[in-house]
């Protein structure tokens, strides 16, 4: 997925567009249950994002059309919530907690080690497209701080040395 | 029902899952099968047992032996020694008591006497995926009583008499809140359970929902009946995958039994619940932002009034309550207001669920009566400060709560006493910090959070959090002077009076308590010195 671009609706020659017909059909299928239910926009976006880990522009257009709401409102919602991204992301999302209870237990060292291990800055995606690292407020497992979450799995009581073994589990 | 001679309850709370409890559970199940006792021993996943940093934690009944830090390698020994030969494995026994769970009389300690479980009465005791186990513990009896034998006004009167106040932060009397909505006339009313829980250090709501989802569903049915609301929503943080799944399963089970839907208990009253999912924004926990988010919009707080009680979701009368508040409702209806008032203090009745984090020996989930002192919580329940370090600071109520010093250790933990000290009970987060940490460094972390989570809708908060963050950074770099502190106070004070919602309004709470209660340490920084040697 390394070379994915933000879709302009018109793929550059020779490059296959992230928003091909197959993908857009999948998006359409994912949002159909929410047809005409603008109040379920957040749920619909979760479902669409699950397809590619991010929300390409073309996909947002489909969402807007099916839910019958202006595109601007869809963009506004996507940019408001930290779990949504309109930029391409890696196959796995690593969410790190930087809040006080985790910091008191040594989160900074763990985060520095994580970024070092993956060779990215906060918010960045690894070269091989495997991971994107993002911050989040409290993951709700502060009893085992410092903690991080990869996709839907939580890891706690971390020390920098734990990271290589955890990261190896993800392809 | 099958009869089992022993039950193994493996904690499946999120902290224990993070510690690898699922693999341990599978290994226990495998070893039990290999030992040929699968028909005699039942292994289930249960809710949080309390000592979340000692996971994976499990308890073996009927003895009530609690094991902690159990590894996959230990599973076989527990099965062979304890379950086959009846000899508990001392090496793995949990050091400390868990009330209503561990039963070893010789291990009784003070810890046992202090805790009191109302909200957590079933958590860690039943299989949260089984509605039958909830019903076996008198579950849905309170809803049955309310719907068939009480009028809505009597339910509200009971809650008002109990003195229950909101456990989500603002401490508003719950009975009164229900009464506002009950009095409003409208074709549709709603009940919302606020399970957004973004407050750092707080994970009680998650563990209540994961450990006893039916308690919350039952509370909402009673609230619906009391107010005339026929639809309920549980708004859960998007990151809480496990909670979402468990609650959805609970709702499904309740529907199948006719406890949700039309004509519940033949009373003519109908009520149903849906789960709504958040998508990562702390401010969405604020009740009007939560409503905006549920309407499929950006989660930006609304101007109040009107309050949700009269104009909430889709402009209809809506009650928004915290998970813990709602979990108190069925026990109060079942046992009466006088029973509830036996616990806690006159103005803060009942118990409070706290999550203990930071530099404290027993981290995790506790429930204690309102009004016990901070010292008791830290030293008797929490087991004190590890590593021979000294207590320095306790932040109560999460990131938006106040920071207390050694001088406050004997403060009673109730709404009024904490407010007098400039702090708040808030969400029930208790962050304990030892003397290896610097208060300015802590302040910087807190401000970073506010700056990141401000929704940006109003200028005092958007610009103020940024400026305050810069000033605290300056103190941290030992480059600040008296005038910077004065400026920070002025800014935070201005934010308190002019911000639209309680996020911007409450930045002053941690900041002022740090300035006031740790003035020596702040002064040292102005003189170019960090006493903790951190900056
Ligand atoms: C920024 C912000 C975040 C909040 N987050 C939560 C939350 O996660 N859960 C909650 O119950 N209340 C939260 N509140 C408080 C709610 O606005 C509201 O007071 C509460 O849900 C009422 O329930 P209660 O009366 O049962 O306490 C938050 C308030 C603010 C200002
Ligand atoms: S105070 Fe802050 S969080 Fe609240 S509405 Fe204003 S900008 Fe948003
Ligand atoms: S503060 Fe980091 S998980 Fe809660
Ligand atoms: S999550 Fe297992 S003890 Fe709390």
């Amino acid at each position: 997925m390394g070379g994915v671009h933000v879709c302009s609706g018109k793929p550059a020659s020779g490059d296959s567009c992230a928003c091909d017909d197959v993908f857009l059909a999948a998006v359409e299928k994912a949002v159909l249950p929410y047809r005409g239910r603008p109040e379920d926009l957040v749920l619909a976006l979760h479902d669409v994002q699950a397809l590619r880990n991010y929300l390409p522009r073309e996909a947002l257009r489909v969402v807007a059309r099916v839910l019958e709401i202006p595109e601007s409102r869809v963009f506004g919602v996507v940019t408001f919530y930290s779990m949504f991204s309109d930029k391409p992301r890696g196959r796995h999302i690593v969410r790190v907690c930087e809040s006080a209870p985790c910091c008191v237990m040594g989160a900074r060292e763990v985060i520095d080690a994580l970024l070092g291990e993956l060779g990215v800055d906060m918010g960045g995606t690894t070269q091989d497209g495997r991971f994107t690292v993002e911050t989040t407020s409290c993951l709700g497992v502060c009893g085992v701080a410092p903690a991080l979450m990869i996709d839907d799995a939580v890891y706690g009581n971390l020390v920098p040395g734990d990271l290589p073994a955890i990261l190896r589990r993800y392809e | 029902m099958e009869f089992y001679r022993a039950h193994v309850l493996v904690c499946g709370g999120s902290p224990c899952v993070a510690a690898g409890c699922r693999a341990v559970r599978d290994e226990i199940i495998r070893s039990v099968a290999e030992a040929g006792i699968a028909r005699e021993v039942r292994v289930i996943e249960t809710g949080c047992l309390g000592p979340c940093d000692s996971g994976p934690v499990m308890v073996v009944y009927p003895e009530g032996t609690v094991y902690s830090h159990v590894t996959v390698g230990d599973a076989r020994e527990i099965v062979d020694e304890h379950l086959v030969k009846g000899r508990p494995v001392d090496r793995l026994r949990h050091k400390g008591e868990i009330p209503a769970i561990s039963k070893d009389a010789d291990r009784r300690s003070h810890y046992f006497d202090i805790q009191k479980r109302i909200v957590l009465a079933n958590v860690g005791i039943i299989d949260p995926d089984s509605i039958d186990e909830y019903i076996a513990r008198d579950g849905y009896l309170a809803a049955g009583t309310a719907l068939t034998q009480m009028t809505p006004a009597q339910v509200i009167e009971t809650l008002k008499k109990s003195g229950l106040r909101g456990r989500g932060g603002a401490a508003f009397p719950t009975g009164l809140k229900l009464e506002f909505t009950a009095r409003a006339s409208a074709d549709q009313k709603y009940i919302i359970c606020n399970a957004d829980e973004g407050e750092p250090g707080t994970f009680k709501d998650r563990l209540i929902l994961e450990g006893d989802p039916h308690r919350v569903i039952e509370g909402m049915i009673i609230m619906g009946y009391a107010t005339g609301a026929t639809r309920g929503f549980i708004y859960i943080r998007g990151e809480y995958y496990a909670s979402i799944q468990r609650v959805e399963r609970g709702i499904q089970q309740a529907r199948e039994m006719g406890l949700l839907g039309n004509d519940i208990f033949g009373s003519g009253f109908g009520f149903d619940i849906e789960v709504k999912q958040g998508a990562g924004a702390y401010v969405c926990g604020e009740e009007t932002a939560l409503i905006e988010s549920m309407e499929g919009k950006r989660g930006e707080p609304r101007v109040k009034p009107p309050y949700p009680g009269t104009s909430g979701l889709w402009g209809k009368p809506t009650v928004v309550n915290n998970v813990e508040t709602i979990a108190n409702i069925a026990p109060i209806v079942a046992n009466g207001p006088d029973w509830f008032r036996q616990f806690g203090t006159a103005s803060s009745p009942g118990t409070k669920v706290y999550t203990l984090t930071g530099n404290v020996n027993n981290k995790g989930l506790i429930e204690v009566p309102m009004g016990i002192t901070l010292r008791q919580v830290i030293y008797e329940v929490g087991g004190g400060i590890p590593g021979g370090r000294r207590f320095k600071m306790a932040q109560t109520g999460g990131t938006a709560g106040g920071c207390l010093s050694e001088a406050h250790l004997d403060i009673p933990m109730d709404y009024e006493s904490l407010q007098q000290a400039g702090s708040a009970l808030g969400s029930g987060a208790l962050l304990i910090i030892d003397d290896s940490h610097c208060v300015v460094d802590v302040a910087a972390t807190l401000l970073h959070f506010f700056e990141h989570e401000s929704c940006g809708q109003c200028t005092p908060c958007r610009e103020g959090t940024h400026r305050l963050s810069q000033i605290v950074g300056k103190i941290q770099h030992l480059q600040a002077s008296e005038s910077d502190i004065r400026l920070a106070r002025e800014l935070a004070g201005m934010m308190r009076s002019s911000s639209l919602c309680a996020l911007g309004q409450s930045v002053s709470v941690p900041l002022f308590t740090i300035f006031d209660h740790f003035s020596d340490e702040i002064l040292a920084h102005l003189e170019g010195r960090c006493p903790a040697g951190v900056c």
Side-chain angles (χ1 to χ4, degrees), chain B residues 440-452:
Chain B
V440 180
D441 192 39
V442 172
T445 305
L446 301 178
L447 277 163
H448 177 75
F449 172 81
F450 285 117
E451 188 184 359
H452 188 257

Side-chain angles (χ1 to χ4, degrees), chain A residues 39-42 46 73 76 79-83 98-99 104-105 108 136-140 142-144 149 152 154, chain B residues 18 52-53 200 203 206 237 239-241 276 278-280 293-299 314 358 437 441 445 449:
Chain A
E39 69 272 24
D40 284 337
L41 176 57
V42 171
H46 272 300
R73 181 167 149 205
T79 51
F80 185 81
Y81 296 96
S82 69
M83 287 179 82
E98 286 187 305
S99 289
V104 166
M105 301 307 288
R108 280 185 204 135
T136 173
S137 69
C138 183
L139 294 162
C142 341
V144 290
M149 187 166 178
D152 59 359
V154 176
Chain B
C52 312
D53 69 325
F203 47 106
R206 157 176 224 161
R237 277 190 74 175
E239 292 94 336
Y240 280 13
Y241 297 100
K276 291 273 177 179
S293 175
M294 281 184 47
E295 291 179 358
K297 302 185 221 147
R298 294 164 71 92
W314 310 117
H437 296 273
D441 192 39
T445 305
F449 172 81

